Amino acid sequence: MNAMHPAGPPAPGHPTAHGDTPRAGTDPATDPLADFLTRAKDARARHRTTAAETAGGRPQDWAHPDRGAHLALPIGHRPVDRALLRSKEGKSRTNFLLELRVVYAMLTGVDRQAVTLEHLQAFPWHQVDLDGAADFRRAVYRRYEVQGTRNDKVCALRRVLDECYKRGLISARRLDLLKETLYTLAVDQDSTRRRRLSSDEIAALLRACASNRDQRAAARDAAIIALFRTSGIRGCELVRTKIADFDPAQHSLLLRETKNGRPHVIFLHPQAEEYLQLWLAHRGPQPGALFSALNRHDLTPLNVSTVRDMVHRRRVEAEVAPFGVHDFRRTFASDLLGRFDPALVSKLLNHRKLDSTMLYDVRGDELKRTAVASLALPAVPLLGPEPTIVPPEDGTEAAVKACTP
């Protein structure tokens, strides 16, 4: 299968990706990475200028038009290199490299055994578009029956696309759209692509936390779930917060490290702040991660996998239908979009583009039914069908039955 599709002409004015500022003290003339980032920044400035002069431009969905743009990056800084370096050295990295070889083979139609690291580094991953991503995912599902194997292949491509975004080769909007296309499903569970959690389900999760005999674990897990529900915080942002980022006077939490690189302040729900204060009473005032291990003397930050495992355990205990941690964020967005201006919700989610916010709206059929039911339709009395005499079969008195057209 060849799932590569031309990305098409560049849409002007694509948004700036984080990580594109040359490092302090570097000379673009002698540092290849600094030179590339400088030229990429200049190119984005030209696109923004063109966008201001061109009506109807779509700067939010953009990919670098040059198939060889990534080759200007030095070895070790290309998307594949960065994705490999993020894998733990040893078996994990080896397995990821094998997955990438399979992905490359499926995208290009070549023999997997002939794929080398040089092939992976030279491939224009940033040119994979939505049609190509959809074709790839369908091919994976046709070839493999085990859901875990399917997820491995899809996630390998997602990780490289993440690095394309970080290197400024695709826009945040395109990355969001590609990830929506390259979604995964929970293994051995009846899962859905994405869903909205109900108030009853949130309450059940909090009750599951409260039922834990370990009060320290109960307080920490309840605070995490409350924050997820009422702030739209991402898992990767939650594990990076420090106790110094919590401002009880302003009832807020500062996120210094976010997906788009912009610091973001979230305002705490009163009840969520009570859960957080209870956890801090157990944790203590020592500097370090806001959410740490349950060992009182270990303030090592949690990682995203640990948070996901915790949420999964509480979900099973609460007997709640399968969902992902990111569904808390979708629930937060969907509930607010029903009552507040989308631009405000976009700010609360720390999105650069309003279109990115609308991807989180999972109200679906519920909203459609409400919209249709709100329409005015005059009620006019109508006569029903004339009754018809049906001859009796047993000689008894005839029965009168309604005849419907």
Side-chain angles (χ1 to χ4, degrees), residues 195 232-235 323-331 360:
R195 75 181 189 88
I233 190 172
R234 298 181 178 91
F323 67 91
V325 169
H326 212 61
D327 286 325
F328 282 115
R329 186 169 169 87
R330 295 187 178 100
T331 302
Y360 282 80

Side-chain angles (χ1 to χ4, degrees), residues 222-240:
I224 290 175
I225 289 175
L227 274 178
F228 275 144
R229 169 65 185 95
T230 60
S231 70
I233 190 172
R234 298 181 178 91
C236 61
E237 296 168 343
L238 180 136
V239 299
R240 294 170 182 164

Side-chain angles (χ1 to χ4, degrees), residues 157-172:
L157 179 54
R158 286 169 59 110
R159 288 171 64 178
V160 178
L161 293 173
D162 276 330
E163 297 304 324
C164 289
Y165 163 67
K166 292 175 182 178
R167 310 320 295 170
L169 296 171
I170 60 175
S171 66

Side-chain angles (χ1 to χ4, degrees), residues 66-388:
D66 183 1
R67 288 175 59 88
H70 61 298
L71 299 178
L73 288 164
I75 296 295
H77 293 278
R78 295 174 185 176
V80 164
D81 297 327
R82 302 305 302 173
L84 283 169
L85 286 174
R86 290 183 181 276
S87 298
K88 186 176 180 181
E89 189 173 4
K91 185 177 180 180
S92 177
R93 188 174 298 176
T94 300
N95 289 340
F96 180 57
L97 181 59
L98 292 174
E99 298 292 354
L100 282 181
R101 291 172 60 191
V102 174
V103 173
Y104 177 92
M106 295 184 71
L107 288 172
T108 60
V110 304
D111 182 5
R112 180 188 61 173
Q113 301 301 325
V115 180
T116 66
L117 178 59
E118 289 71 25
H119 288 118
L120 300 177
Q121 291 172 329
F123 187 71
W125 299 94
H126 60 285
Q127 292 277 301
V128 175
D129 64 4
L130 296 182
D131 290 336
D135 290 346
F136 168 75
R137 188 178 184 279
R138 283 191 290 267
V140 167
Y141 272 64
R142 286 194 299 266
R143 180 177 298 185
Y144 302 100
E145 295 183 359
V146 179
Q147 187 60 46
T149 304
R150 294 169 171 174
N151 289 348
D152 290 340
K153 306 298 181 289
V154 172
C155 286
L157 179 54
R158 286 169 59 110
R159 288 171 64 178
V160 178
L161 293 173
D162 276 330
E163 297 304 324
C164 289
Y165 163 67
K166 292 175 182 178
R167 310 320 295 170
L169 296 171
I170 60 175
S171 66
R173 168 65 170 163
R174 171 153 293 203
L175 179 63
D176 285 342
L177 293 174
L178 287 168
K179 283 190 168 183
E180 284 290 314
T181 303
L182 295 167
Y183 61 91
T184 58
L185 299 179
V187 179
D188 298 328
Q189 294 176 352
D190 293 330
S191 180
T192 56
R193 178 176 173 181
R194 52 186 211 165
R195 75 181 189 88
R196 181 184 185 184
L197 295 166
S198 68
S199 297
D200 290 342
E201 289 176 319
I202 299 294
L205 292 170
L206 292 172
R207 285 195 296 269
C209 295
S211 66
N212 194 321
R213 294 182 179 180
D214 185 341
Q215 294 183 357
R216 185 179 175 88
R220 185 197 68 178
D221 297 352
I224 290 175
I225 289 175
L227 274 178
F228 275 144
R229 169 65 185 95
T230 60
S231 70
I233 190 172
R234 298 181 178 91
C236 61
E237 296 168 343
L238 180 136
V239 299
R240 294 170 182 164
T241 55
K242 311 291 185 183
I243 192 170
D245 298 330
F246 171 47
D247 186 347
Q250 296 296 323
H251 311 287
S252 64
L253 185 64
L254 173 62
L255 307 182
R256 300 180 187 275
E257 299 182 52
T258 63
K259 178 181 176 182
N260 61 19
R262 297 187 307 182
H264 177 58
V265 175
I266 60 175
F267 298 96
L268 300 175
H269 185 282
Q271 188 63 52
E273 187 173 3
E274 289 185 19
Y275 283 115
L276 180 59
Q277 291 282 16
L278 180 60
W279 157 242
L280 292 178
H282 286 278
R283 179 200 178 279
Q286 304 91 331
L290 182 62
F291 293 102
S292 58
L294 295 175
N295 187 329
R296 294 180 182 275
H297 304 291
D298 184 4
L299 294 179
T300 302
L302 298 178
N303 57 50
V304 176
S305 296
T306 302
V307 173
R308 287 174 180 163
D309 290 343
M310 179 276 290
V311 172
H312 174 73
R313 289 195 305 273
R314 300 306 180 211
R315 181 194 69 74
V316 173
E317 294 169 4
E319 299 182 348
V320 170
F323 67 91
V325 169
H326 212 61
D327 286 325
F328 282 115
R329 186 169 169 87
R330 295 187 178 100
T331 302
F332 174 81
S334 297
D335 288 352
L336 292 181
L337 284 170
R339 293 178 291 164
F340 297 96
D341 183 73
L344 173 61
V345 180
S346 184
K347 292 179 180 179
L348 292 173
L349 290 172
N350 195 27
H351 281 157
R352 292 180 183 273
K353 298 292 181 180
L354 185 59
D355 285 348
S356 298
T357 301
M358 301 314 295
L359 292 174
Y360 282 80
D361 189 358
V362 290
R363 288 173 290 175
D365 291 345
E366 172 191 341
L367 179 62
K368 296 173 186 176
R369 290 192 184 96
T370 303
V372 171
S374 69
L375 297 174
L377 179 65
V380 178
L382 301 174
L383 297 177
E386 293 292 335
T388 301

